[in-house]
Protein backbone atom coordinates (compact mmCIF):
# COMPACT_ATOMS: atom_id res chain seq x y z
CA UNK A 1 0.00 0.00 0.00
CA UNK A 2 2.80 2.42 0.94
CA UNK A 3 4.60 1.58 -2.30
CA UNK A 4 1.41 2.27 -4.20
CA UNK A 5 0.96 5.70 -2.55
CA UNK A 6 4.61 6.61 -3.19
CA UNK A 7 4.30 5.65 -6.85
CA UNK A 8 1.18 7.74 -7.15
CA UNK A 9 2.90 10.76 -5.58
CA UNK A 10 5.89 10.34 -7.92
CA UNK A 11 3.56 10.08 -10.90
CA UNK A 12 1.82 13.34 -9.99
CA UNK A 13 5.12 15.12 -9.30
CA UNK A 14 6.50 13.90 -12.61
CA UNK A 15 3.46 15.13 -14.47
CA UNK A 16 3.71 18.55 -12.88
CA UNK A 17 7.36 18.86 -13.82
CA UNK A 18 6.54 18.02 -17.41
CA UNK A 19 3.88 20.69 -17.54
CA UNK A 20 6.31 23.27 -16.14
CA UNK A 21 8.99 22.34 -18.65
CA UNK A 22 6.58 22.50 -21.54
CA UNK A 23 5.38 25.92 -20.49
CA UNK A 24 8.89 27.31 -20.22
CA UNK A 25 9.75 25.96 -23.68
CA UNK A 26 6.84 27.89 -25.14
CA UNK A 27 8.25 31.15 -23.83
CA UNK A 28 10.31 32.92 -26.43
CA UNK A 29 12.82 34.39 -24.07
CA UNK A 30 14.25 32.72 -20.98
CA UNK A 31 15.95 34.01 -17.89
CA UNK A 32 19.71 33.65 -18.40
CA UNK A 33 21.53 31.23 -16.12
CA UNK A 34 24.11 32.78 -13.83
CA UNK A 35 27.66 31.52 -14.54
CA UNK A 36 28.29 31.36 -10.74
CA UNK A 37 26.35 30.49 -7.58
CA UNK A 38 24.19 33.20 -6.00
CA UNK A 39 26.62 33.66 -3.08
CA UNK A 40 29.79 33.58 -5.22
CA UNK A 41 30.12 37.36 -5.53
CA UNK A 42 30.02 38.07 -1.80
CA UNK A 43 30.91 40.38 -0.17
CA UNK A 44 30.81 42.69 -3.21
CA UNK A 45 27.22 41.63 -4.04
CA UNK A 46 25.31 39.58 -1.46
CA UNK A 47 23.40 36.40 -2.15
CA UNK A 48 20.17 38.17 -1.20
CA UNK A 49 20.78 40.93 -3.74
CA UNK A 50 21.65 38.44 -6.50
CA UNK A 51 18.57 36.35 -5.72
CA UNK A 52 16.26 39.37 -5.88
CA UNK A 53 18.01 41.11 -8.76
CA UNK A 54 18.30 38.05 -11.00
CA UNK A 55 15.45 35.90 -9.72
CA UNK A 56 12.81 38.62 -9.28
CA UNK A 57 13.73 41.83 -11.14
CA UNK A 58 15.22 40.26 -14.27
CA UNK A 59 12.65 37.46 -14.27
CA UNK A 60 9.96 40.16 -14.14
CA UNK A 61 11.38 41.96 -17.18
CA UNK A 62 11.60 38.65 -19.06
CA UNK A 63 7.99 37.78 -18.26
CA UNK A 64 6.72 41.26 -19.15
CA UNK A 65 8.56 41.24 -22.46
CA UNK A 66 7.28 37.78 -23.40
CA UNK A 67 3.72 38.91 -22.72
CA UNK A 68 4.07 42.26 -24.48
CA UNK A 69 5.58 41.06 -27.77
CA UNK A 70 2.88 38.48 -28.31
CA UNK A 71 1.05 39.22 -31.57
CA UNK A 72 3.24 42.25 -32.32
CA UNK A 73 5.89 42.59 -35.05
CA UNK A 74 8.49 41.77 -32.37
CA UNK A 75 7.02 38.34 -31.65
CA UNK A 76 9.87 36.51 -33.38
CA UNK A 77 12.53 39.23 -33.27
CA UNK A 78 15.81 38.79 -31.42
CA UNK A 79 16.45 40.84 -28.32
CA UNK A 80 18.89 43.33 -29.90
CA UNK A 81 16.46 44.09 -32.72
CA UNK A 82 13.66 44.74 -30.23
CA UNK A 83 15.91 47.12 -28.26
CA UNK A 84 16.92 49.01 -31.41
CA UNK A 85 13.45 49.29 -32.95
CA UNK A 86 10.92 49.49 -30.10
CA UNK A 87 9.84 52.23 -27.76
CA UNK A 88 7.64 52.66 -24.70
CA UNK A 89 6.96 49.69 -22.45
CA UNK A 90 8.36 47.10 -24.87
CA UNK A 91 11.64 49.04 -25.09
CA UNK A 92 11.84 49.43 -21.31
CA UNK A 93 11.52 45.70 -20.71
CA UNK A 94 13.65 44.58 -23.67
CA UNK A 95 16.35 47.09 -22.72
CA UNK A 96 16.37 45.85 -19.16
CA UNK A 97 16.61 42.19 -20.25
CA UNK A 98 19.55 42.97 -22.54
CA UNK A 99 21.22 45.21 -19.95
CA UNK A 100 20.98 42.62 -17.20
CA UNK A 101 22.14 39.79 -19.48
CA UNK A 102 25.30 41.81 -20.13
CA UNK A 103 25.57 42.78 -16.47
CA UNK A 104 25.27 39.36 -14.84
CA UNK A 105 27.62 37.63 -17.30
CA UNK A 106 30.47 40.12 -16.82
CA UNK A 107 31.14 39.05 -13.20
CA UNK A 108 33.22 36.27 -11.73
CA UNK A 109 34.24 35.35 -8.16
CA UNK A 110 37.77 35.21 -9.63
CA UNK A 111 37.42 38.60 -11.30
CA UNK A 112 39.20 41.86 -10.72
CA UNK A 113 42.61 43.01 -11.84
CA UNK A 114 42.98 44.83 -15.13
CA UNK A 115 42.06 44.34 -18.78
CA UNK A 116 44.80 43.26 -21.16
CA UNK A 117 45.48 43.30 -24.90
CA UNK A 118 43.80 45.73 -27.28
CA UNK A 119 41.09 46.74 -24.78
CA UNK A 120 43.76 47.78 -22.25
CA UNK A 121 45.59 49.71 -24.97
CA UNK A 122 42.38 51.47 -26.06
CA UNK A 123 41.53 52.41 -22.46
CA UNK A 124 45.03 53.84 -21.93
CA UNK A 125 44.83 55.75 -25.22
CA UNK A 126 41.46 57.26 -24.29
CA UNK A 127 41.79 57.99 -20.56
CA UNK A 128 45.55 57.94 -20.00
CA UNK A 129 45.47 55.01 -17.57
CA UNK A 130 43.22 52.27 -16.24
CA UNK A 131 43.06 54.07 -12.89
CA UNK A 132 41.85 57.24 -14.56
CA UNK A 133 39.27 55.30 -16.61
CA UNK A 134 37.87 53.75 -13.43
CA UNK A 135 37.63 57.17 -11.81
CA UNK A 136 35.73 58.61 -14.80
CA UNK A 137 33.44 55.57 -14.96
CA UNK A 138 32.57 55.71 -11.26
CA UNK A 139 32.02 59.45 -11.45
CA UNK A 140 29.57 58.96 -14.36
CA UNK A 141 27.67 56.40 -12.28
CA UNK A 142 27.57 58.56 -9.18
CA UNK A 143 26.40 61.66 -11.06
CA UNK A 144 23.62 59.89 -12.97
CA UNK A 145 20.39 61.24 -11.51
CA UNK A 146 17.85 58.58 -10.58
CA UNK A 147 17.86 55.09 -12.07
CA UNK A 148 19.98 53.99 -15.00
CA UNK A 149 23.22 52.55 -16.28
CA UNK A 150 26.77 53.62 -16.91
CA UNK A 151 28.32 51.98 -19.96
CA UNK A 152 31.68 51.53 -21.59
CA UNK A 153 30.85 51.41 -25.30
CA UNK A 154 32.68 51.28 -28.60
CA UNK A 155 31.84 52.74 -32.00
CA UNK A 156 32.41 51.09 -35.40
CA UNK A 157 36.07 52.13 -35.32
CA UNK A 158 36.74 50.69 -31.88
CA UNK A 159 36.74 54.13 -30.26
CA UNK A 160 35.69 53.89 -26.61
CA UNK A 161 33.41 56.17 -24.64
CA UNK A 162 31.60 56.27 -21.29
CA UNK A 163 27.84 56.75 -21.51
CA UNK A 164 25.28 57.63 -18.88
CA UNK A 165 21.88 56.16 -19.74
CA UNK A 166 18.76 56.64 -17.67
CA UNK A 167 16.27 53.85 -16.96
CA UNK A 168 16.63 51.03 -19.54
CA UNK A 169 19.01 52.90 -21.86
CA UNK A 170 21.65 50.97 -23.80
CA UNK A 171 24.41 52.21 -26.16
CA UNK A 172 22.86 50.11 -28.97
CA UNK A 173 20.23 52.79 -29.56
CA UNK A 174 23.04 55.24 -30.39
CA UNK A 175 24.72 52.82 -32.80
CA UNK A 176 27.36 51.88 -30.20
CA UNK A 177 28.27 48.49 -28.81
CA UNK A 178 28.02 47.92 -25.04
CA UNK A 179 31.24 46.50 -23.54
CA UNK A 180 30.76 46.88 -19.79
CA UNK A 181 27.75 48.08 -17.78
CA UNK A 182 27.20 49.07 -14.15
CA UNK A 183 23.60 49.05 -12.93
CA UNK A 184 22.90 52.13 -10.83
CA UNK A 185 19.26 51.35 -10.11
CA UNK A 186 18.88 51.21 -6.34
CA UNK A 187 17.73 47.58 -6.53
CA UNK A 188 21.31 46.70 -7.57
CA UNK A 189 22.90 47.87 -4.31
CA UNK A 190 20.46 49.12 -1.69
CA UNK A 191 20.40 45.99 0.49
CA UNK A 192 24.20 45.85 0.63
CA UNK A 193 25.23 49.53 0.48
CA UNK A 194 22.02 51.48 1.24
CA UNK A 195 22.52 55.02 -0.15
CA UNK A 196 26.27 54.60 -0.75
CA UNK A 197 26.20 54.19 -4.52
CA UNK A 198 29.81 55.39 -4.88
CA UNK A 199 31.08 52.67 -2.50
CA UNK A 200 29.17 50.02 -4.42
CA UNK A 201 30.56 51.11 -7.80
CA UNK A 202 34.11 51.15 -6.43
CA UNK A 203 33.71 47.58 -5.13
CA UNK A 204 32.38 46.22 -8.45
CA UNK A 205 35.85 46.31 -10.07
CA UNK A 206 36.83 43.39 -7.78
CA UNK A 207 34.45 41.00 -9.58
CA UNK A 208 34.77 42.12 -13.22
CA UNK A 209 35.68 39.23 -15.50
CA UNK A 210 37.93 41.11 -17.93
CA UNK A 211 38.20 38.07 -20.23
CA UNK A 212 34.45 38.37 -20.88
CA UNK A 213 34.65 42.15 -21.34
CA UNK A 214 37.64 41.84 -23.71
CA UNK A 215 35.71 39.35 -25.84
CA UNK A 216 32.93 41.92 -26.32
CA UNK A 217 35.39 44.51 -27.60
MN1 LIG B 1 18.97 45.97 -12.27
Amino acid sequence: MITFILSFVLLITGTNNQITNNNSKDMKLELIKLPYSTDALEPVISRQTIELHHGKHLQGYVNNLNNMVEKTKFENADLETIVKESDGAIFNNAGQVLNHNLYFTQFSPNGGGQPSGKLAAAIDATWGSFENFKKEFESAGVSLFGAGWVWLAEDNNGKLSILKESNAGNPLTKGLKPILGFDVWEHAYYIDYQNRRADHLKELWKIIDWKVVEQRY
Side-chain angles (χ1 to χ4, degrees):
M1 186 60 186
I2 288 175
T3 314
F4 174 74
I5 292 171
L6 276 178
S7 310
F8 188 62
V9 168
L10 283 174
L11 182 70
I12 289 176
T13 316
T15 310
N16 282 342
N17 281 346
Q18 268 183 342
I19 290 167
T20 311
N21 287 344
N22 283 346
N23 277 348
S24 68
K25 266 179 207 159
D26 287 341
M27 289 174 69
K28 291 155 41 62
L29 209 94
E30 295 198 0
L31 180 69
I32 52 149
K33 301 254 184 301
L34 294 173
Y36 40 77
S37 62
T38 53
D39 62 355
L41 304 180
E42 291 188 340
V44 177
I45 306 176
S46 69
R47 181 173 62 88
Q48 193 187 4
T49 293
I50 292 286
E51 285 177 356
L52 287 168
H53 200 181
H54 174 263
K56 303 292 182 190
H57 287 277
L58 179 51
Q59 181 72 69
Y61 297 129
V62 169
N63 294 347
N64 288 344
L65 184 61
N66 280 324
N67 291 332
M68 284 173 183
V69 296
E70 235 173 78
K71 298 190 171 61
T72 73
K73 63 173 176 174
F74 298 117
E75 193 160 24
N76 297 308
D78 63 76
L79 187 55
E80 292 201 355
T81 304
I82 303 175
V83 169
K84 282 185 210 165
E85 296 179 7
S86 66
D87 54 21
I90 291 184
F91 171 79
N92 286 337
N93 285 280
Q96 284 294 70
V97 174
L98 179 66
N99 294 350
H100 287 91
N101 287 356
L102 291 164
Y103 176 80
F104 284 116
T105 54
Q106 74 196 355
F107 297 133
S108 162
N110 306 313
Q114 300 195 23
S116 59
K118 59 176 185 158
L119 178 61
I123 286 174
D124 287 346
T126 311
W127 291 282
S129 68
F130 179 60
E131 285 307 312
N132 202 42
F133 158 71
K134 286 199 293 184
K135 211 159 63 182
E136 296 281 332
F137 199 83
E138 288 170 31
S139 153
V142 169
S143 62
L144 193 155
F145 186 77
W149 294 80
V150 54
W151 293 102
L152 173 64
E154 73 168 308
D155 71 8
N156 290 335
N157 302 315
K159 187 177 170 351
L160 294 173
S161 58
I162 294 170
L163 269 80
K164 292 200 281 189
E165 295 282 341
S166 57
N167 300 320
N170 186 290
L172 273 185
T173 58
K174 298 185 166 85
L176 303 172
K177 186 181 181 202
I179 304 292
L180 172 77
F182 283 7
D183 188 344
V184 298
W185 285 58
E186 285 184 346
H187 67 223
Y189 61 87
Y190 215 83
I191 290 171
D192 303 328
Y193 299 83
Q194 293 79 48
N195 61 316
R196 293 173 286 114
R197 184 193 282 185
D199 291 351
H200 169 64
L201 298 182
K202 198 181 285 293
E203 290 297 299
L204 281 181
W205 302 114
K206 295 178 181 169
I207 52 168
I208 298 299
D209 187 340
W210 286 106
K211 290 283 157 256
V212 169
V213 179
E214 284 164 19
Q215 278 162 18
R216 293 174 183 167
Y217 181 56

